Amino acid sequence: MDIPALSLCMIVKNEARHLSRCLSSVKGLVSEIIIADTGSTDGSMDIARSFGARVTRVPWEHDFAKARNLTLRQASCPWILVLDADEVTDGWQKEALLQLLDNTTVQGYFLPFIHYVGSTAGTEYVTDNVCRLFRNDPDIFFHGTIHEEAASSIWALSDGRIAYADLPVLHYGYVDEELLLKNKTSRNLDLIRAALQLDPASHSLRYALGTEYYQQGEYGSAADTLLPLLQDTMAGHGYTADIYLKAAYALQAAGRSQEAKAVYSDGLARFPDFTDLLECYARLLLEEGALANAYRLLLEALRCGNTAHKYPSSSGSGTSRTSLLAGQVSEQLYLFEEAKEHYAQAVRFSPDLTAAWAELVPLCLLSGDVPQLITLTGAAGGALPPATLRLLVPAALNARASGWLQALAGAPQLPAAVRRVLEVLPELFRQHANLPAVAARLERLLPEHEAEQPFIRGYLWAVACRAGDAEQEAYWLGSLSGCRPGLPAVPRLLPGTPAAEPATAPAPAEPAYAAQLLLQAGAWSSLLGLYRSAGPRLQWTRLPQPVLIGLLQAPAAAQEQWCSIYEEQEHQYSTPAGAAEWLLYAAIAGSCGRLPRLVPAAEQALRGLGSKAVLIGLAYHKLQLAAGAAAGPVPAGGIPRLLLVRAALGGDWQRTQSAPSSAGPL
C-alpha cells in the first residue's frame, strides 16, 4: 500500500533523547519529514537526517507559531501532520489514515493527545484534543506565541470544518523529569508574559497564563486569571470546557468553595456530559459531607462514560477512577452491593488498578462473594501487575479461599516459586490435612528457591505448630531470625513452648504476622494461645481484613474459644477500635451459635460513639437476644456482620497506612 501523501512538520532543539522514538512511530505513515532546527547542539539533526528528514536551521525568535508556520510553507504534500519530538503516534493504522485523508468534507482533524504526568510515564495522564492534522492550505496556520493552535484559522474559512479522528498521540513532555530538564515552567511564563505585553486582551494568552498558574499549584492566581475568561467565552474556543474545569477546581483548592460551586453548576449547564467536571464537583460535595448529592453526580459521570473525545480529560474519568470513587461513596452510604459492583467495574475497566482491587477484595470476602473474585481474576489474566498480586495472593490465603487461590495460581506472571508454594498450601485448609506430606513438599522447595526461603520457612513453622512438633517449631522459627528479627520472640506467647529469645516484648507487628501464618495453616490451637497471651498487642481489626473471614473458617470449637478469650479481656468500648473489635466478636459469636455478652455500661459506651455501623450492630444484637429468649432462630441481618466491622473502621482507604503487612509468599 502506498505511503500516505502526508508531510510531517516539526520544530526541534536538542531532542536527541526523544527524536528517534518520535520518527520511528511515523515510519510508513508520512511521505516527507520537514524539521526546523532552532539551535540543536546534541546531535538531534544527525538523527533527523538518518530518517530522511529535510532539515532547515531557523533562528529562535521566542515565537512557537512563527517557527511552526515556517515548516508548514515547506510542505509539499496535500496534508500536514505536526508533532513535537517528545510525542509519538500510538497504534495508527495506515488504512484508517488514508480514509481520513480522502475525506473531502473536512479541512482538519482533532487528534486525542495523551499527556503523561507525574513521576512515571505510562501511568497517570490527562487528555485533550488538538488540531494537528490538516490540509496544506496557505490560509491554515498557527496563532499564538506559546500554546499555539491552528484550529481558529480553519474555522475562519468559509467551509472550515474540523472533525475528530481516533488517532492517539502520546506526549511525554509533562513528566516530572522532562519539566525539570527543560525548565518548561519558567520558560512558558516568560513567553506568555512577554506576549501579553503586546496583546493584553488576548483570550488565548490569558488562558495559557491561567493554565501555567494552575499547573504550578498557584490556584488563587489561576482562578483570578481564568474566571474573567468565562464572561466572554465564544463558541469557537475549543478550550471553554477546560476553563470551567480549571477555574472551578482552582477555586475549590483555594478554599473558595461557594464560588467553585457556582462555576461547577454553570459549567455543567453548558457541558452536562463533561465527566471530569461532574467528578470534581462530586469531590467538593464530599468535602462538605453531601454524600447523596455527590453519589448522584458520580452516577451521572459513569452514565456518560469516557468523553475524552469531546473534552479535556484525565486518566480514568468516567471509567475506572470514577467507578472507584463511586464505590467508596456508596460504601459510606451503606450501599454495599452497589459498592461492590462499582469496584468490580473499575477493575473491568483497568485490571491493573490496584487501588480498586484493594477495596473490592475485602468487600467481596466479607460479604461471602468469592465467586465474583474468581471471575474477575480469570478475566484479568496476565494484566494483573506484581503490585496487585502482592495484595491478592495473601488476601486469598488469609481468607482461606481455596477456589480463588487456585484462580490466582494460574496467573502467568506469578513467580515459579510462589506458584509451587500455592500448589501446596490449599491442603492446609482441610480439616484433616496430611501435615507430614505438606512439610515434606515445602522442604523440597527450599534448595531450589534460596531467595524465597523466608516465606517457605514461615509456613514450615506454622505447619509444625499445627502438628504440635515443638522441636520443628523451634528449628524453623530460629531460621527466620535474620529476616524477621521479632518473630523468634513470639514463642514465649505460646503456652507450653520454651522461649527462643530472652523475655523481651516482640516487635509490635510480629504477633500480627505470626497470627496470619497460623491462621493460614489452620494451627488453631497455637493461634488461640497467641491471642490469649498477646493481649492488646494483637488487635484483630488492625490486621488485613481478609483475616476476619479466615476466622470464620475456623471450627466451631475454635470460634467458641476465641469468644471466651475476648470475654476474659478488658476492652475500651468508647473507641472506634474497641467498637470494631466488639462487632467482630458479635460476628464470630453468631457464627458459632453463641450469644455475645454486653453489659449495660459497655452498650452505653458503644452507643455514645454515634457510629451508624455500631448502632446497626447493636440492633442485630437485640434481635439475637430476642431470638434466644424465644428459643427461635436468629434473624438474618440485612448487612453481613463483617461488613459492619469494615464500616466501623471507616473503610480500607482510610486505614491502609497503619495496617500491618500481610503474611504470604509475595
Side-chain angles (χ1 to χ4, degrees), residues 106-276:
V106 300
Q107 283 66 49
Y109 290 99
F110 283 114
L111 306 180
F113 274 66
I114 299 169
H115 309 279
Y116 291 118
V117 296
S119 59
T120 306
T123 52
E124 295 298 314
Y125 59 84
V126 296
T127 71
D128 63 355
N129 301 315
V130 187
C131 183
R132 294 277 202 88
L133 178 62
F134 44 79
R135 292 187 184 277
N136 188 350
D137 183 324
D139 290 326
I140 298 177
F141 52 88
F142 283 93
H143 295 274
T145 303
I146 187 170
H147 296 305
E148 65 283 2
E149 53 80 29
S152 59
S153 66
I154 297 178
W155 284 323
L157 300 175
S158 59
D159 58 348
R161 177 171 173 257
I162 307 175
Y164 174 82
D166 190 16
L167 298 176
V169 177
L170 308 181
H171 178 212
Y172 297 89
Y174 290 150
V175 176
D176 292 345
E177 181 183 8
E178 289 297 312
L179 291 174
L180 184 63
L181 283 172
K182 297 180 180 179
N183 194 22
K184 279 190 174 182
T185 299
S186 177
R187 179 203 69 184
N188 290 355
L189 278 175
D190 289 343
L191 288 173
I192 294 169
R193 286 168 177 157
L196 278 170
Q197 288 182 352
L198 300 175
D199 187 5
S202 170
H203 194 284
S204 60
L205 285 173
R206 289 154 63 204
Y207 165 64
L209 180 61
T211 297
E212 289 299 327
Y213 284 139
Y214 181 90
Q215 291 174 344
Q216 292 181 52
E218 296 183 21
Y219 293 116
S221 297
D224 292 338
T225 304
L226 294 171
L227 277 175
L229 301 182
L230 296 177
Q231 306 305 316
D232 58 353
T233 54
M234 298 180 296
H237 287 308
Y239 45 79
T240 301
D242 194 47
I243 296 175
Y244 274 102
L245 178 63
K246 285 186 168 66
Y249 183 83
L251 288 166
Q252 178 181 343
R256 296 155 63 178
S257 60
Q258 293 306 312
E259 293 177 82
K261 281 199 233 181
V263 176
Y264 278 129
S265 297
D266 290 346
L268 288 174
R270 189 165 183 177
F271 307 106
D273 58 344
F274 189 1
T275 57
D276 286 78

Side-chain angles (χ1 to χ4, degrees), residues 407-474:
L408 287 168
Q413 64 276 39
L414 207 62
V418 174
R419 183 175 291 105
R420 295 193 182 187
V421 171
L422 296 187
E423 292 172 355
V424 179
L425 294 183
E427 173 67 15
L428 296 174
F429 299 165
R430 298 175 58 242
Q431 184 176 358
H432 302 291
N434 187 339
L435 299 181
V438 170
R441 292 178 66 185
L442 289 173
E443 285 190 60
R444 283 197 294 271
L445 294 176
L446 286 174
E448 186 176 352
H449 303 289
E450 186 70 25
E452 289 82 11
Q453 285 187 23
F455 76 77
I456 298 176
R457 294 174 186 275
Y459 284 114
L460 283 165
W461 168 72
V463 170
C465 288
R466 177 171 174 177
D469 189 332
E471 182 178 349
Q472 287 295 299
E473 284 182 50

Side-chain angles (χ1 to χ4, degrees), residues 7 9 32 34-36 54-56 58 69-77 136:
S7 301
C9 294
E32 65 176 1
I34 299 164
I35 292 181
R54 189 163 76 248
V55 178
T56 303
V58 299
N69 291 333
L70 288 174
T71 66
L72 302 187
R73 301 292 74 87
Q74 298 179 47
S76 62
C77 295
N136 188 350

Side-chain angles (χ1 to χ4, degrees), residues 356-379:
W357 284 104
E359 304 288 11
L360 175 67
V361 165
L363 197 59
C364 282
L365 291 175
L366 299 181
S367 62
D369 193 0
V370 175
Q372 172 93 297
L373 293 175
I374 294 174
T375 299
L376 291 170
T377 299

Side-chain angles (χ1 to χ4, degrees), residues 493 529-540 569:
L493 301 176
L530 178 63
Y531 180 31
R532 187 184 300 277
S533 302
R537 283 172 291 186
L538 182 56
Q539 294 185 33
W540 295 94
Q569 296 177 345

